[in-house]
Amino acid sequence: MTELVTFGETMALFAARRTGPLRFARDFDLGLGGAESNVAIGVARLGHDVTWIGRVGADEFGDLIRATLAGEGVHAHAIPDPAAPTGLMIKGRRTADLIDVRYYRRDSAGSRLSPADLDPGLIRAARVLHVSAITPALSGSAREAVRHAICEARSAGVTVSLDVNYRRALWTPEEAGAWLREVVGEVDVLFATEAEGRLIADAEGAEELAAALAGLGPRHVLLKFGAEGAMELSGGVVRRAEPYRVTEVDSVGAGDAFAAGWLADWLAGAEPGQRLATACAAGAFAVTSQGDWESLPRRADLDLLRRPADGVSR
Amino acid sequence: MTELVTFGETMALFAARRTGPLRFARDFDLGLGGAESNVAIGVARLGHDVTWIGRVGADEFGDLIRATLAGEGVHAHAIPDPAAPTGLMIKGRRTADLIDVRYYRRDSAGSRLSPADLDPGLIRAARVLHVSAITPALSGSAREAVRHAICEARSAGVTVSLDVNYRRALWTPEEAGAWLREVVGEVDVLFATEAEGRLIADAEGAEELAAALAGLGPRHVLLKFGAEGAMELSGGVVRRAEPYRVTEVDSVGAGDAFAAGWLADWLAGAEPGQRLATACAAGAFAVTSQGDWESLPRRADLDLLRRPADGVSR
Amino acid sequence: MTELVTFGETMALFAARRTGPLRFARDFDLGLGGAESNVAIGVARLGHDVTWIGRVGADEFGDLIRATLAGEGVHAHAIPDPAAPTGLMIKGRRTADLIDVRYYRRDSAGSRLSPADLDPGLIRAARVLHVSAITPALSGSAREAVRHAICEARSAGVTVSLDVNYRRALWTPEEAGAWLREVVGEVDVLFATEAEGRLIADAEGAEELAAALAGLGPRHVLLKFGAEGAMELSGGVVRRAEPYRVTEVDSVGAGDAFAAGWLADWLAGAEPGQRLATACAAGAFAVTSQGDWESLPRRADLDLLRRPADGVSR
Amino acid sequence: MTELVTFGETMALFAARRTGPLRFARDFDLGLGGAESNVAIGVARLGHDVTWIGRVGADEFGDLIRATLAGEGVHAHAIPDPAAPTGLMIKGRRTADLIDVRYYRRDSAGSRLSPADLDPGLIRAARVLHVSAITPALSGSAREAVRHAICEARSAGVTVSLDVNYRRALWTPEEAGAWLREVVGEVDVLFATEAEGRLIADAEGAEELAAALAGLGPRHVLLKFGAEGAMELSGGVVRRAEPYRVTEVDSVGAGDAFAAGWLADWLAGAEPGQRLATACAAGAFAVTSQGDWESLPRRADLDLLRRPADGVSR
Amino acid sequence: MTELVTFGETMALFAARRTGPLRFARDFDLGLGGAESNVAIGVARLGHDVTWIGRVGADEFGDLIRATLAGEGVHAHAIPDPAAPTGLMIKGRRTADLIDVRYYRRDSAGSRLSPADLDPGLIRAARVLHVSAITPALSGSAREAVRHAICEARSAGVTVSLDVNYRRALWTPEEAGAWLREVVGEVDVLFATEAEGRLIADAEGAEELAAALAGLGPRHVLLKFGAEGAMELSGGVVRRAEPYRVTEVDSVGAGDAFAAGWLADWLAGAEPGQRLATACAAGAFAVTSQGDWESLPRRADLDLLRRPADGVSR
Amino acid sequence: MTELVTFGETMALFAARRTGPLRFARDFDLGLGGAESNVAIGVARLGHDVTWIGRVGADEFGDLIRATLAGEGVHAHAIPDPAAPTGLMIKGRRTADLIDVRYYRRDSAGSRLSPADLDPGLIRAARVLHVSAITPALSGSAREAVRHAICEARSAGVTVSLDVNYRRALWTPEEAGAWLREVVGEVDVLFATEAEGRLIADAEGAEELAAALAGLGPRHVLLKFGAEGAMELSGGVVRRAEPYRVTEVDSVGAGDAFAAGWLADWLAGAEPGQRLATACAAGAFAVTSQGDWESLPRRADLDLLRRPADGVSR
């Protein structure tokens, strides 16, 4: 039985091999990416039964998404939409330190998700529903799908997890803030960076922000500080996690990996401290190699970041 | 002074390096493509002054298009459109013999071309206006732009050239046929494959078809038979050209190259037989290497296809 | 319910990108290959429910095999063997016309397959059991597994299909012939090249050979002539199929594709002539692009080989 | 009207993709490089009208240089020389920290530049003439061209800018020093590293060196300290700039970028402090990606180095 | 006359180009690797006459090994074994900091080395015999070969050098320790990491460990601390070397490079301090570029690590 | 003892991966090429002892040449010239059928070969001296070296072999013809295309040409007709060889391979018919894969071109 249900838009991803302005990039690798499917893969690799739902084009990129997710052990409901193509993501690197992502997702198949695509029985039978605030920014029907899913989950006592994942290409901070304030009261687990948290609540320091957010409803507030680690406020207790010291290769997907690590340990009934540590380790894995989700860890991998200094396993 | 003016949509092009279904293609090269800019480059390489007009996104792909066309010596009016991205073309090879092209051009910058983008003075001062029947299929404003341009050209005595370039991803044969029959009376030079010619006129054999098309207006009717050569009907005289014997690497762009060769020789005042031979040679060059336009010939290259058998120049 | 069950060894495949002696190849692509999993993918793409069983190492290559087959919609029982690594295949191209395949499969996980790995219920509930004569050459336990599976199938009235797939790296013609003669009486569908057929029976021409083979048991004898097409002898009727005219890119996997096409149409209840045509089309697809199985067709693709001459779909 | 005129040798550049001794590099990317054309591109990207003059071979590499510079918006007078080939630059990386550059430029087209190649009217109408001390080391005629251009500029009141750019493959420190001391009195803006400055004047510390150089003529002395920032002495005032903290990918071209940033801001009439900051930012961009000039910033890019920590723009 | 004789298994090496789990690596480079041949190349590049002995398959990979070593100036006795293939090494990078090496060397040609493959005259005429503790872990005959070679060397007064090179894929720490304790009394020069040293002797700190090891026989004990430098205990004197500050690209082969640097300087009669410095410099070179041995220094390269800050040589 | 001595210029070779004008080629592979070293490798692979002599730069490309030839089993006297760089060859493909080669070899190390570089003892002890008419076109000293070597060979009774290898980048047909007519009387074995033969003698048909050439001195005249096979006139007997039917990948080096095949069989004392067949087979191998010499056959490979139709060896 599926323990976690998630949905959203997953896109074909063209990733530039070279650093510099995209117009000089020349060589691209084809893959795929999407915040929710990244989380789905992450949780599945850590041992849980996961379902992802989304619309894809009736095209090669839709097939790529379906095959890749199935190959990763996710139950992938990749609904083919004959009327719109799979969305695209173009990912480059303007400088060694600055990633540049562009989308071709307007009117894409993924943005046409609607409440009817979501099987209520599946949500009601799960333990967690995970959504991101990307989906409501895609289209009116997608926004309805999110509300509908949260409603089903809450009425069945299913835990609701939301990762803010603010995308300025899709909506303004004001629009995002308004929507987030509307739904935050129905959310049990909230993932956000500090800047994202301030779209919802106004507070100076990180702890004050976490408290303000928790005051709006979420039982678990997770604040991510990038290379500076993370913080959790649960049951009135604040926990901080030190970041891992790793060489960063590609920072995209780190937040999704963090969410995956936390949710997997929550599903496994791990202690709060362990949960946060796993979230940080998963986030660290995500940045240490190319690709948004390829390097997500399995349980057996979690120890690798603590390996001896010579860095060679034979 | 610009001798040939053309306009249309030019897109960023992701070309798969591997043969097989696109989802297994893995590696892609970034370039650009567009029927009219292919013609523009082809005519410019053969020694004429050419202007290309089109909308591009205010993005890296738009910059790539502007820089590449300028680098090829085309006067490129690549109007940046802040409200829409540059369109995309994804090009793969399903089998060694079957090219597979997909577009992300709906609501693209290029499709938003409108009559106001076209400087009438530029058209009226040219010797040829070249358009394709791709542009009218892009949007209402683009369709108006074509009519507007043809109207300006005719009123100034500028020769009007039209390449049918039927794209079934954009409109049905019926829609295309209706539009083509509307404009064919205002066209001086018509380029078409046999199948494309039959969208406009109904006739059995190639010569009958050419005659039927000429009867609708065009002074020069060019029918292309792919690897079987081509035919021209001008002033009541039919000329046929044998194809070149070349190893085909990539057939995309061959028709644009043919049009470029013909138009360049027409501008240069070449004899009809020479004109058709140059068109065929240019078309042959286009298929002998990767890329839609990269291998288009210069005057000095035209002899290369007749080189001695050892195929090595040192 | 699974309609076709197959099993065997699937290996990680390093394919050289360059033509020439392998020591100069420099760049390799990682993929996977195995005769039976190629067939499994082919039949699944043509719309049937397929199960593949095999041992893989408890390593990254084993994971790659499991994920790829699952992504292709095959029920993949990729049993991880902690005691042996996944086998390897190195594929190069000595000349443009001569493929060079080497194996690292001695004592591999895949060669350790044994009767206990095969769920008898799965076989007995299927409509076809497909095996190749590669498996008996891998190890004693693998040979027993084949006999065991055929025995289960026959006792349950399941059709038994055998593709000879002679590999001289694994055994001598004499050894192969002895084994084949032992089992051919229990086989319903036999796939072979002429040379392979002569390992079993002695006959001059192709028709005589087919008749001799049919005389040993098989109700359907399929003889493959490579680029010269194929022949089927079923119910005393000989049918011949013309080969498709395609540009050959990589001939490996063509035989597996042929078997997949034939078996899929047999499962679908197609007419004999149609069945043989589908087998040939599938074989043609396999040679038109890189990779052993990547280009295998779906039902909707079967028409592509008959596309119009310009070879471009847009 | 062109604001800045520069000239020199631009070469085709083969850049190794791999780190290690060049003989193991295997894969190379084709591009182009040249100190003065790097500056020309940099100033053009920052919004000014720039002309570059140089000789190239009547070959594909000459065409590449012409097309690339034109594509970058530089007025490129790439004079084809039928008697000599375009020069080459081979760029490798001996270790991750040590770049290895070799030239094939002896008797190249670029080295055959002569005074007659430089249109005096163009220089006299510009606001800045920019030269490097690479050109005088190429040939006698090239050396004369530099003297001639400086002479024209000075007589017309055009500001003369010189970047030392010492190349030990071309001449000895003594030869370079002698030439530099000869011309420094006619230079208004001088760019140098500390070591380069000491080819001209003898002084202990950086400030003393700058003062000594200024004493020889230049109104603006710019000393570059690599990853340690830079210093400017103008009008008796010393300004220092902190370096940007960026991940270095390829240090070649940083000095050219610095000069471009400074000259663009000088042309724009920026304040001295701003001018030096822009120079440093441009230098930082140059090292953050592959290629000698590809990553040079536009005005709108200058802020990117101050982006928030997560380094992802969407 | 050969100054150093070494032997062992050298394998074809497939190195992944991408960072992340091996199953996503896609592109691989073909090369070769083996601890003893790495040392042989390193000593040869530093100017000494070196012989390497080993078995390889009668296949393309064996030819690659023979040609590469010969090309590097090593006298390569690459004995072709018709009965077994050349072993393989697959090298990936799980994260930017963690290299992942897998072997296909069981029953490989290299593992079938036996005493008869070693010409006693060659060993007895050399000045050093260098072995690693990889060889005894490969097979019984290989283990005998090591004992046999050491015996010949000692009886002829040839210095015996041993690098522990513990490989947990081949044997347990207990098995390795037992063998090492057996032979350490016959070793003159011992190379080990601290962890490897503790397989042989039990001691707390590094100096205590070195003393304990020296107490068992070796006149020279070299302890390597990875990025923290190294230590030598010779003639009762402890010397420590600071590591070089270099950007690490690939840590595999660093230990072999260190041994090569030390042995070359020992052969050259360098002072102990110089010897250790050369060992560290060679080790630093090995990590600064891709490949296990490609970047090993020549004498003239040793200064490169002390080059000026701009890192560009022209 | 060396059986064949040859000398000439070998260059680093940058080969474009893509078909089309060189300026769009982007990716290049580094290798090496030179007519005489191609022959040396070819004869060595067919089992004979071969020495190659040439000058190279004291640079990475010189090292690459030395290492590659040594790795191929050729005795390589690659004399490092500190005063000039290794020459370069840039190889592209203008169309699928037309190779484009450019040189950077003026004043290169290789062109500075002089009589003093050639050890007379080596030549006098060999059985064949092989030269090409490229060397006399490189420089005055190189021309003297050829005359000097031929003189030594003849005085010692060593067979002199000359391959015309006309290069129009180096001299005019008249210059080449004059030189060839001067030396042809001292040549025993002459290799030429028909066009090359007519630089020396005037005759209509191939047989007449061969007779005319033989009349000037050579005992063996070999005329190559590219894809049409070859002809030999020896002892008044004309033999013709049919070409092999192979898929051509890269025609460069075919002539060198032909010479290598013939000379190897001549050294082996093969029958004239066999000799010519081996020459043709070697030439066929050379065109079937990328690279000028990489695919040259060994004795055991000669049968591969006659392999069965399925083209797969396992």
Side-chain angles (χ1 to χ4, degrees), chain F residues 36-270:
Chain F
E36 300 86 357
S37 58
N38 293 348
V39 172
I41 292 170
V43 176
R45 285 207 187 154
L46 289 166
H48 296 278
D49 195 290
V50 178
T51 295
W52 173 88
I53 303 164
R55 283 190 168 254
V56 296
D59 51 31
E60 287 283 318
F61 297 143
D63 293 340
L64 175 65
I65 290 167
R66 182 181 300 105
T68 305
L69 294 180
E72 289 299 322
V74 172
H75 300 287
H77 296 218
I79 306 160
D81 185 329
T86 304
L88 300 188
M89 219 174 133
I90 319 279
K91 188 165 113 180
R93 205 175 260 285
R94 179 60 181 87
T95 72
D97 306 308
L98 183 67
I99 285 175
D100 174 12
V101 176
R102 283 134 208 267
Y103 299 116
Y104 283 81
R105 68 198 303 182
R106 196 174 302 171
D107 299 327
S108 65
S111 72
R112 290 157 54 94
L113 192 82
S114 77
D117 295 327
L118 307 175
D119 173 358
L122 211 60
I123 294 170
R124 301 178 69 92
R127 293 178 54 208
V128 181
L129 170 74
H130 176 73
V131 299
S132 88
I134 298 167
T135 310
L138 296 178
S139 71
S141 69
R143 189 177 294 207
E144 281 170 44
V146 179
R147 293 308 301 262
H148 171 78
I150 291 176
C151 180
E152 289 287 346
R154 287 194 73 79
S155 74
V158 175
T159 293
V160 174
S161 162
L162 171 71
D163 191 335
V164 174
N165 260 317
Y166 174 65
R167 293 289 183 271
R168 64 186 154 92
L170 300 177
W171 52 1
T172 64
E174 292 68 33
E175 291 169 326
W179 186 86
L180 287 161
R181 283 187 300 270
E182 242 177 76
V183 303
V184 70
E186 300 172 60
V187 166
D188 300 296
V189 187
L190 180 72
F191 297 94
T193 62
E194 278 190 274
E196 287 173 345
R198 295 205 175 89
L199 296 173
I200 307 172
D202 201 24
E204 197 90 332
E207 296 207 12
E208 292 75 7
L209 178 60
L213 292 168
L216 299 173
R219 281 177 294 132
H220 306 286
V221 172
L222 283 300
L223 288 180
K224 299 170 289 181
F225 311 134
E228 309 304 315
M231 202 190 88
E232 173 169 353
L233 172 58
S234 292
V237 181
V238 167
R239 283 179 186 82
R240 282 179 177 272
E242 290 302 301
Y244 282 81
R245 297 271 159 248
V246 293
T247 300
E248 185 174 316
V249 171
D250 176 353
S251 63
V252 177
D256 304 329
F258 181 92
W262 196 93
L263 290 167
D265 262 24
W266 184 91
L267 286 169

Side-chain angles (χ1 to χ4, degrees), chain E residues 1-7 37 40-41 44 48-54 65-66 68-78 122:
Chain E
M1 182 57 77
T2 271
E3 297 172 83
L4 182 145
V5 171
T6 188
F7 58 87
S37 58
I41 292 169
H48 296 279
D49 195 291
V50 178
T51 294
W52 173 89
I53 303 162
I65 290 168
R66 182 181 298 104
T68 305
L69 294 180
E72 290 298 320
V74 171
H75 300 288
H77 296 219
L122 210 60

Side-chain angles (χ1 to χ4, degrees), chain A residues 69-84:
Chain A
L69 294 180
E72 290 298 320
V74 171
H75 300 288
H77 296 218
I79 306 160
D81 185 329

